[in-house]
């Protein structure tokens, strides 16, 4: 029932997003017909292209055509390639997911381990070093860090390729770069949560039973500390998908973000609209998964969801 309620609540949100996306994209400067026709095209040729693309139809008719393309992919075609938008997105989506999921996994693992070390050795050298690194990871812009890594590891050292997505090695740099922010945030969040949890009475009971401090932290304290971290992970993953525009542009990865940038420059309205709508669907699914994981980690939330 919880899943059905959340999905039901998401439908109005997705409808509002589809309407806003359609209206905002329609306000983008530039005439798609003129861009496709070229600078030397006559007014008659431009008007013919506008008629072919349906740009002369009323706004409400075009919005209905846009909604129809959601369940009938053959209707939603790119202005430039005349291929179904779903095909364009399907070809690029795997690269975007590889970078985003890879960055999130590495960020979560590294950040959690760093947070545990900081909480178990507060005020020590390791805690100070991790604090400096996390502040740097949160502060540095992704595009600047990406360009720095390209210069160091690709140009200067020659260890990794600078751009592209033809081999697994091409994904190493973008995944490591995009993992810095979630790693930094998870480190601080886990450390703060563990520090607060370490003084709880049930942990003193576990210590009284003879359990080592490491086992007390990993088996008892960490699970409660990860409840807040799960919500942050969902937000970070959504941010990574949205930030794929920057990452894929810096590293030359043919993903959805790069496709979106190209579509904006070419006024390819259908690609822009359906790509943004796809990101909105991802956000809804991510929030749902995050809520389910939170309920699994904290049974008290399940009690709150039950009807009185």
């Amino acid at each position: 029932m919880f899943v059905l309620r959340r999905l039901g609540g998401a439908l109005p949100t997705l409808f509002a997003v589809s309407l806003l996306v359609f209206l905002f994209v329609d306000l983008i400067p530039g005439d798609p017909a003129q861009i496709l026709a070229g600078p030397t095209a006559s007014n008659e040729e431009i008007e013919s292209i506008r008629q072919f693309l349906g740009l002369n139809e009323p706004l409400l008719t075009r919005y209905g055509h846009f909604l129809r393309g959601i369940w009938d992919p053959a209707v939603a075609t790119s202005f430039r390639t005349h291929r179904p938008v779903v095909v364009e997105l399907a070809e690029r989506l795997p690269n975007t997911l590889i970078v985003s999921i890879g960055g999130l996994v590495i960020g979560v693992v590294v950040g959690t381990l760093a947070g545990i070390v900081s909480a178990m050795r507060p005020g020590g050298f390791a805690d100070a070093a991790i604090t400096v690194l996390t502040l740097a990871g949160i502060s540095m812009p992704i595009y600047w860090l990406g360009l720095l890594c390209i210069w160091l590891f690709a140009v200067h050292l020659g260890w990794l390729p600078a751009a592209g997505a033809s081999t697994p090695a091409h994904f190493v740099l973008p995944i490591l770069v995009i993992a810095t922010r979630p790693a930094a945030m998870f480190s601080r969040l886990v450390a703060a949560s563990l520090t607060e949890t370490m003084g709880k009475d049930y942990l003193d009971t576990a210590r009284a039973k003879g359990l080592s401090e490491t086992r007390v932290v990993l088996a008892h304290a960490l699970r409660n500390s990860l409840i807040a971290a799960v919500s942050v992970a969902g937000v970070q993953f959504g941010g990574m998908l949205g930030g794929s525009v920057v990452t894929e542009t810096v590293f030359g990865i043919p993903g959805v973000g790069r496709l979106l940038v190209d579509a904006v420059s070419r006024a390819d309205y259908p690609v822009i609209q359906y790509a943004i709508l796809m990101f909105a669907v991802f956000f809804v699914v991510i929030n749902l998964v995050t809520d389910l994981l939170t309920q699994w980690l904290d049974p008290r939330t399940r009690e709150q969801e039950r009807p009185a």
Side-chain angles (χ1 to χ4, degrees):
M1 290 298 296
F2 170 75
V3 176
L4 293 178
R5 286 199 303 270
R6 290 303 303 270
L7 290 177
L11 291 179
T13 301
L14 292 177
F15 175 76
V17 169
S18 71
L19 182 59
L20 292 175
V21 166
F22 177 81
L23 294 176
F24 286 154
V25 170
D26 194 65
L27 296 175
I28 292 177
D31 185 356
Q34 189 171 13
I35 294 174
L36 289 173
T40 61
S42 64
N43 291 335
E44 290 77 13
E45 291 173 331
I46 294 175
E47 185 61 29
S48 176
I49 294 176
R50 288 183 60 85
Q51 191 69 29
F52 175 76
L53 297 177
L55 297 175
N56 291 330
E57 296 179 358
L59 189 66
L60 190 60
T61 302
R62 284 186 283 131
Y63 180 62
H65 186 81
F66 167 66
L67 292 180
R68 181 185 169 193
I70 296 175
W71 63 80
D72 187 3
V75 174
T77 57
S78 167
F79 283 171
R80 189 171 185 85
T81 64
H82 305 296
R83 302 170 66 204
V85 175
V86 66
V87 175
E88 300 268 0
L89 295 175
E91 290 177 350
R92 306 291 191 100
L93 185 59
N95 291 335
T96 300
L97 291 179
I98 288 173
V99 175
S100 298
I101 295 176
L104 180 65
V105 170
I106 292 178
V108 168
V109 172
V110 173
T112 301
L113 292 176
I116 293 173
V117 172
S118 294
M120 295 184 67
R121 298 288 186 272
F125 174 78
D127 183 30
I130 290 172
T131 300
V132 172
L133 291 176
T134 53
L135 290 176
I138 294 174
S139 304
M140 285 189 293
I142 293 297
Y143 68 87
W144 183 85
L145 182 60
L147 293 175
L148 181 63
C149 289
I150 289 174
W151 172 81
L152 178 60
F153 296 106
V155 178
H156 185 65
L157 298 175
W159 290 354
L160 295 166
S166 56
T167 65
H170 285 88
F171 291 97
V172 174
L173 276 182
I175 287 176
L176 292 178
V177 167
I178 204 173
T180 55
R181 190 174 296 274
M185 296 191 68
F186 259 84
S187 173
R188 290 295 86 197
L189 182 62
V190 171
S193 299
L194 278 178
T195 301
E196 181 181 356
T197 307
M198 295 290 278
K200 300 293 184 181
D201 292 338
Y202 71 92
L203 294 183
D204 293 335
T205 303
R207 294 186 184 99
K209 292 180 180 180
L211 297 180
S212 65
E213 190 66 17
T214 301
R215 187 172 179 183
V216 168
V217 171
L218 296 180
H220 299 279
L222 184 60
R223 177 168 178 170
N224 291 333
S225 301
L226 288 179
I227 295 174
V230 167
S231 300
V232 174
V235 174
Q236 283 295 307
F237 185 56
M240 287 177 172
L241 289 175
S244 62
V245 172
V246 176
T247 308
E248 293 170 5
T249 300
V250 170
F251 290 98
I253 298 173
V256 177
R258 185 88 176 272
L259 177 66
L260 190 57
V261 172
D262 294 340
V264 170
S265 64
R266 297 167 180 172
D268 196 344
Y269 289 179
V271 173
I272 300 172
Q273 291 166 339
Y274 290 110
I276 296 176
L277 187 61
M278 183 193 70
F279 281 135
V281 173
F282 271 122
F283 271 95
V284 170
V285 173
I286 290 168
N287 286 331
L288 177 60
V289 172
T290 300
D291 289 342
L292 291 175
L293 286 176
T294 302
Q295 285 195 347
W296 176 71
L297 289 170
D298 188 0
R300 293 172 298 178
T301 58
R302 283 185 291 228
E303 296 294 333
Q304 295 173 0
E305 289 293 335
R306 289 178 183 173

